[in-house]
Amino acid sequence: MSVTQGISGSGSATTAPGAPTAPGAPTAPTALSAEYAARAAAVIPGGVNSPVRAFGSVGGTPRFFVRGSGASVTDADGTEYVDLVGAWGPALLGHAHPAVVEAVQQAAANGLGFGASVPGEYELADEIIRRMPEVELVRLVSTGTEATMTAIRIARGATGRPLVIKFAGHYHGHSDGLLAAAGSGLATFGLPGSAGVTAETAAQTLVLPYNDLAALEHAFQSHPGQIAAVITESAAANMGILPPDPGFTEGLIRSAHAHGALVITDEVLTGFRAGSAGYWGIERETMPDGLRPDLFTFGKVVGGGLPLAALGGRRDLMEQLAPLGPVYQGGTLSGNPLAVAAGLATLRNADATVYDHLAAAADALAVEVEDALTAAGVAHRVQRAGTLLSVLFGDYPVAPANYDDVLRQDTAAHRAFFHAMLAGGVNLPPSAFEAWFVSAAHDDRVIGRVAEALPAAARAAAAAQAA
Ligand SMILES: *Cc1c(COP(=O)(O)O)cnc(C)c1O
């Protein structure tokens, strides 16, 4: 399947070629975005450097953005939108937050990187540990993909076991072994996994249904002494938001530890976002003393918008990493001073007031969406995990529990809703499988602007559902 089709707006895997434009199609000018998309498509596969940006599942012209400030972003044609993408999470404080920009400018003026250690690296590690006492040592990397890849290498190195369990619909970046049933981009494009991953590599990952402890226990029984780790999103957030059922995380940790396997909790999206200590910080309250994952991965917010991610956890496991131990990991740009400065400024400014604000903004937004969709008679569910939310279109008398459930959603309704919101000045994720992100700059006025766009978008979704 070619994502280039999405660029031209002529169709994609999920939009039949020649399909009519979605109801509520944008009336704002898109000439420059369209021109840039064409120029990009000439030199970049599909015109994008990360597939979901191509608008493949929603069709139409992907917007090129030239500016962001607070809760809004402005596209190349000068249209300003309320932004609910937030750079996929990092813009926790709002776009171009003065403290973050200043920290990066100061760091830049002192040199862009030395390939040697800078003080900001341990300061950022300190800040992570302060929020997550389960994390005893931290290693900084540049992407979430590297963080999960390294955590798995540590797990295999420490246990001497080959296999890894992941859950269908959970996304852990694009390393070979983790691309099976990986939600998000793959779900958006209707791909089961990726070409170019060998059968041998794919066979090292067992994919299980989420929220199914019996399936987990069965996998351990079927592969005695073979499973190094279970990797799980703290709350699934790459198939829409799908939090773990009550008791699932506890059961998962107990089961894994009983079978000598480690638990890697992927907080790349949820970390310092779902709450001040991620989604684990929310679940931690409900856990028996001492029951905890062994390794955590972070990304997105922790880099404040620059390329930075991290992994951390039990001291003895983290000490497996070179130069202390036999598990190799390294990176030319790891701990880059600009990235570290952006992450540090973001976390230091994300205090309790900010998290209270994010929670209130997410609550207010959820109520507005719920009201508008209900008023228009649209079958839907608003999904939540801490300050994160997403909207699932379709009939869900019971809450979805796993990937199969969310794959049944009504992507045509999402498409219509997405375009009507865009026309109404709200930038939503261009995929039914992505979370919505608020920021500290999403105040009542901003939520009010979203509320104004909602009724027309709800009617568009209703029309699509009736069709
Ligand atoms: C985004 C994401 C990743 C991958 O991070 P990149 O920085 O895009 O490599 C891994 N895990 C989760 C849960 C994510 O949301």
Side-chain angles (χ1 to χ4, degrees):
M1 190 215 76
S2 159
V3 291
T4 317
Q5 290 178 315
I7 290 266
S8 67
S10 62
S12 73
T14 48
T15 315
T21 333
T27 47
T30 56
L32 279 176
S33 277
E35 183 194 326
Y36 295 163
R39 290 171 70 163
V43 289
I44 296 171
V48 294
N49 289 308
S50 199
V52 75
R53 298 178 193 168
F55 272 33
S57 71
V58 291
T61 307
R63 302 302 190 270
F64 277 62
F65 292 108
V66 293
R67 206 162 41 251
S69 175
S72 71
V73 287
T74 304
D75 73 12
D77 293 278
T79 306
E80 190 194 336
Y81 305 85
V82 170
D83 186 32
L84 292 174
V85 178
W88 301 110
L92 187 82
L93 303 173
H95 290 285
H97 187 277
V100 180
V101 171
E102 200 198 316
V104 172
Q105 284 173 337
Q106 265 185 19
N110 289 327
L112 300 181
F114 313 105
S117 296
V118 297
E121 293 173 79
Y122 70 75
E123 292 181 82
L124 183 57
D126 276 343
E127 182 64 33
I128 294 170
I129 292 168
R130 191 179 68 73
R131 290 169 179 242
M132 305 277 299
E134 298 83 358
V135 172
E136 296 176 308
L137 290 175
V138 175
R139 169 79 34 112
L140 301 180
V141 294
S142 297
T143 66
T145 297
E146 283 176 83
T148 57
M149 189 179 78
T150 304
I152 282 173
R153 190 177 298 144
I154 292 174
R156 287 189 169 125
T159 61
R161 299 173 171 193
L163 304 180
V164 169
I165 290 175
K166 80 174 285 280
F167 298 107
H170 287 213
Y171 182 65
H172 302 294
H174 62 95
S175 67
D176 280 6
L178 290 172
L179 272 179
S184 202
L186 289 170
T188 304
F189 295 103
L191 301 173
S194 174
V197 176
T198 64
E200 289 77 5
T201 297
Q204 305 284 296
T205 308
L206 309 178
V207 182
L208 301 182
Y210 190 35
N211 281 321
D212 188 340
L213 289 173
L216 183 65
E217 189 55 34
H218 179 77
F220 278 119
Q221 306 280 358
S222 315
H223 301 85
Q226 294 295 295
I227 295 166
V230 181
I231 185 167
T232 182
E233 281 190 63
S234 191
N238 285 283
M239 50 171 157
I241 296 295
L242 217 172
D245 287 344
F248 178 72
T249 305
E250 180 180 341
L252 182 164
I253 299 171
R254 283 190 192 286
S255 182
H257 288 173
H259 292 280
L262 301 174
V263 175
I264 302 168
T265 292
D266 185 350
E267 291 263 15
V268 169
L269 193 149
T270 48
F272 318 121
R273 156 64 69 177
S276 62
Y279 197 74
W280 169 253
I282 295 170
E283 285 222 292
R284 179 202 276 144
E285 316 293 322
T286 69
M287 296 291 158
D289 266 2
L291 195 85
R292 57 178 63 172
D294 304 283
L295 292 169
F296 292 86
T297 53
F298 307 101
K300 299 188 168 97
V301 171
V302 82
L306 289 190
L308 186 143
L311 65 148
R314 267 169 50 191
R315 175 176 297 277
D316 62 311
L317 293 173
M318 292 302 292
E319 285 179 345
Q320 296 288 311
L321 283 175
L324 295 180
V327 177
Y328 188 75
Q329 183 278 330
T332 304
L333 296 175
S334 292
N336 172 269
L338 271 64
V340 163
L344 207 48
T346 299
L347 290 185
R348 284 186 175 159
N349 283 280
D351 56 14
T353 314
V354 163
Y355 287 102
D356 288 347
H357 177 96
L358 291 171
D363 288 349
L365 184 58
V367 168
E368 295 292 352
V369 173
E370 188 77 64
D371 286 353
L373 292 176
T374 303
V378 179
H380 75 283
R381 284 189 80 94
V382 176
Q383 295 284 107
R384 293 294 302 272
T387 70
L388 287 158
L389 69 151
S390 70
V391 179
L392 193 58
F393 291 96
D395 252 323
Y396 285 93
V398 253
N402 58 40
Y403 195 37
D404 282 348
D405 292 345
V406 300
L407 283 176
R408 285 195 286 106
Q409 72 184 297
D410 182 351
T411 51
H414 168 267
R415 189 155 57 238
F417 181 80
F418 168 83
H419 278 292
M421 289 298 280
L422 200 61
V426 179
N427 184 51
L428 290 175
S431 159
F433 295 90
E434 304 283 5
W436 297 15
F437 300 86
V438 293
S439 80
H442 285 68
D443 57 16
D444 290 348
R445 190 190 56 86
V446 170
I447 302 296
R449 273 185 63 190
V450 179
E452 280 167 30
L454 278 167
R459 286 194 297 277
Q465 270 186 349

